[in-house]
Amino acid sequence: MIKTVEPALRLKGTITPPADKSIAQRAALFAMLCDRTSQITNYPVAEDPRTALACIRQLGAKVADDGVTVTITGTGRDNMAVPTGPVDCGNSGTVMRLLAGILAGAGIPATLIGDASLSRRPMKRIIDPLARMGAEIVSAEGGLPPLEIRHGNPLQPVRFRLPVASAQLKSCVLLAGLFGEDATQVVEPVSTRNHTETMLGLPVVREDGANVISSSRRQVIPAQNLQIPGDFSAAAFWLVAGSIIPDSEIVMPSTGVNPTRTASMHILRRMGADIVDEAKDRTGNEPAAHLRVRSAPLKPTRIRPEEIPNAIDELPVLCVAMAFADGVSRITGAEELRFKESDRLEAIQQVLEAAGVRVEGHRDGLTIYGEPGRKVRAARHDSRHDHRIAMAAAILSLMGDAPSQIDNAEAASVSYPEFWAHLDTLAHR
Ligand code: S3P
């Protein structure tokens, strides 16, 4: 699908961001592991969360969806079904990595496959610790999917220090640990999103400045009765758009503001953005707030390596904000972006350059030369089938000197199917 994005004079209105994909996928997987019934309200219609539901069905969970509430009757830890065919994780790294931990822990033989993008993403990072625990996993060459998880002996507990700041890797090892008699521990020197430990109620202690999270068979897996908050990572597109487009004001009710997800809000505020998070409440264990953004002049900034994990999915659109700052901004320590649904450092550099923004690419980041109030050049952008690149290119195009085109724009549906409709609601031309 090719989308034409017309320049906007201003963005105004209230939109409800889609339900959080990271939380929804976990809710589905954890509900399968629970032997009771879970009721999850505001379950998203986006593709990745739907993939999670299809996968747990294949493994024996019962899923009923009345359009508002998804009801899942789990199999419990020990009664998952051996799938008769490959389990298709679609575009979702979270589903593949978390499910690999569950299946290896449970000793369920299965083959995990994914789409073209997921089939290029590194899985060695999860195979190594699972193999240390005693799992037998066969991958394609170079540690790429498909992953064949062989029937194995019960896994041994490990103490595993994360070599990369990845919540998916942390979750994979902790989920495998749920099947062991003794505790598996994951040592996390730099905090990443904490939904797995929060939703499962896993014990977390601080040791020498690191989080140490434990899991074992003794952990009772709670039913996942929750209302999923709005996805902060989706809201971030509008936080940037509302900041850079003059005379804008956007309100987003009930958006998740878990501190392990919202570093980009602090980075934007440091740049001068006018963002208010008010009427704070909780949906389940997750903090949520009404967000309001108004346009504001932006200053350049430096994003430091330690800020990257809690802003990881928002970096492409933060790069768009930097193109409109009054000076030169720099991101370092972000090489993980090369291993997302696309090489996001390369992809966003190409998008910005096509629009006439000066960018220098580095191994682990970018330097972006901003100009406040500029109009960018209209261009034809390719999403590379990456949802966040499609949406970041669209936000940039709102500041174009003429209409721009986004190729493979349907990718937005992986996390935010309503994105294009929300853009039309907010944009005044
Ligand atoms: C996610 C973790 C992050 C993030 C991804 C979702 C999760 O990936 O980029 O979109 O749900 O745990 P990594 O753990 O690989 O950094």
Side-chain angles (χ1 to χ4, degrees), residues 21-23 25-26 94 97-98 121 125 165-171 192-193 195-196 261 309 312-313 336 339-341 344 387-388:
K21 149 169 118 67
S22 257
I23 296 173
Q25 291 177 303
R26 283 169 172 76
T94 301
R97 293 189 175 126
L98 272 57
R121 296 182 65 186
R125 56 180 64 188
S166 161
Q168 293 176 354
L169 175 55
K170 164 175 73 175
S171 304
T192 65
R193 66 189 67 191
H195 304 306
T196 294
R261 295 284 297 279
I312 187 80
D313 291 336
E336 267 297 300
F339 308 110
K340 297 295 176 190
E341 287 83 330
R344 286 186 176 157
H387 54 132
R388 301 204 196 278

Side-chain angles (χ1 to χ4, degrees), residues 124-135 158 160 169 172-173:
K124 188 172 176 326
R125 56 180 64 188
I126 61 161
I127 296 172
D128 286 348
L130 292 175
R132 250 181 74 194
M133 296 172 87
V158 279
F160 179 66
L169 175 55
C172 170
V173 175

